[in-house]
Amino acid sequence: PIFKLSIFGQERYVVSSVELLNEICDEKRFNKAVSGALKEVRNGVGDGLFTAFHGEHNWEVAHRTLVPAFGPLGIKDMFDEMYDIATQLIAKWARQGPERINVTDDFTRLTLDSIALCAMDKRFNSFYSEKIHPFVDAMVNFLVESGRRFRRTRLESLIYPSFDRQYQQDISLMKAVAEEVIAHRRANPSDKKDLLNAMLFGKHPKTGERLSDDSIMNNMITFLIAGHETTSGLLSFTSYYLLKNPDALQKAQQEVDKV
């Protein structure tokens, strides 16, 4: 069934089956709506893959250019680097012994470092510092403030200008990190088949058009934000439920041992 919820005058539609979800994902009949907090996220990532409006040209170029990089072979080539970062996580936990472990924080470090290394050959070395990389703090602040801006009135924004100043500072820091990574790759060319090279040198398969510098930066930040935040959350919840269900945990361990 499909449910319609009315919350404070705003209507929300909820589909409750895989079949319905597949139907609304039919791009010939439906398109995504960039609104609310997601629209505010455009302040930092512009027309990146997840925040572009329907029909925006840069989305078309980026989408067609980067699709091959997400194929099975591309993901398989990332295994050794993923293993490298996962080993750093295990080593940190082993060093801590019986002390309490901040699992969610470490999973954030794991996924950020993995995506940065696999996709852009950038090492944040998050497991070698007590403080997490400034990019993460800026990213979290940016996402939280994007959600608040969408609900804030114009008057509230005028009364509290410090919120906007911090917001702009966080955006500037994220862009500075992205620009640093791009500049380093251009100064030190590599034949690595990663996302960064795909963005720098890939071409639209039909038109031959390449991504603009702004589009490369917007999508770099998009991948770092969307990729690591969702994956770290998934790992945290998965770990929790596995510990709550010993039988499932044992089956998972057996499957890992077989591989």
Side-chain angles (χ1 to χ4, degrees):
I2 301 175
F3 299 93
K4 182 173 80 170
L5 304 176
S6 181
I7 305 174
F8 299 112
Q10 294 187 342
E11 293 184 345
R12 294 286 185 270
Y13 293 87
V14 181
V15 297
S16 55
S17 72
V18 174
E19 292 75 18
L20 286 172
L21 179 60
N22 287 335
E23 187 172 349
I24 65 173
C25 287
D26 181 358
E27 294 182 2
K28 295 179 180 178
R29 299 171 57 201
F30 302 96
N31 58 70
K32 68 174 183 178
V34 179
S35 59
L38 185 59
K39 188 175 180 181
E40 294 294 334
V41 173
R42 284 178 60 93
N43 294 321
V45 300
D47 52 9
L49 283 174
F50 299 137
T51 49
F53 292 127
H54 179 68
E56 276 196 293
H57 180 67
N58 281 341
W59 179 91
E60 165 71 16
V61 177
H63 178 70
R64 302 303 176 194
T65 301
L66 298 177
V67 162
F70 288 99
L73 292 178
I75 301 300
K76 184 179 180 181
D77 289 341
M78 299 177 184
F79 177 82
D80 290 341
E81 291 172 330
M82 291 182 182
Y83 181 79
D84 178 355
I85 304 299
T87 301
Q88 294 179 27
L89 167 67
I90 300 304
K92 179 186 178 184
W93 285 356
R95 289 195 303 270
Q96 290 186 239
E99 295 182 13
R100 287 192 175 189
I101 295 172
N102 189 335
V103 175
T104 55
D105 182 75
D106 281 341
F107 278 153
T108 295
R109 295 168 186 260
L110 172 74
T111 53
L112 176 68
D113 280 23
S114 296
I115 291 174
L117 181 59
C118 293
M120 304 154 198
D121 204 25
K122 168 70 174 178
R123 286 188 180 271
F124 283 130
N125 292 322
S126 299
F127 290 112
Y128 297 98
S129 173
E130 287 299 321
K131 291 185 177 181
I132 206 157
H133 194 279
F135 179 91
V136 178
D137 287 333
M139 178 210 68
V140 172
N141 293 338
F142 165 70
L143 292 176
V144 170
E145 179 60 14
S146 292
R148 289 173 177 168
R149 286 167 71 92
F150 140 70
R151 298 183 179 88
R152 193 176 293 140
T153 65
R154 176 65 176 167
L155 179 59
E156 288 175 310
S157 299
L158 292 173
I159 295 175
Y160 303 106
S162 59
F163 292 147
D164 186 65
R165 282 198 298 271
Q166 184 61 53
Y167 188 63
Q168 298 303 328
Q169 289 174 13
D170 292 328
I171 291 173
S172 295
L173 191 149
M174 291 192 299
K175 289 186 175 182
V177 171
E179 288 173 347
E180 175 192 341
V181 173
I182 294 170
H184 182 270
R185 175 61 60 87
R186 283 178 168 157
N188 302 273
S190 166
D191 58 359
K192 185 178 179 182
K193 295 180 180 179
D194 58 11
L195 280 175
L196 182 52
N197 269 351
M199 288 189 285
L200 286 171
F201 306 111
K203 297 179 181 180
H204 190 292
K206 291 184 178 180
T207 67
E209 186 176 357
R210 290 184 173 180
L211 276 70
S212 66
D213 286 352
D214 283 343
S215 184
I216 293 172
M217 183 170 62
N218 288 337
N219 281 295
M220 275 192 62
I221 298 173
T222 295
F223 289 132
L224 287 169
I225 290 177
H228 103 270
E229 183 70 10
T230 52
T231 309
S232 64
L234 173 64
L235 289 171
S236 297
F237 278 104
T238 300
S239 298
Y240 174 83
Y241 284 113
L242 283 175
L243 291 172
K244 288 292 184 179
N245 296 274
D247 291 341
L249 174 59
Q250 186 176 16
K251 290 179 181 177
Q253 288 175 325
Q254 291 172 350
E255 184 171 344
V256 171
D257 290 340
K258 288 180 181 177
V259 175

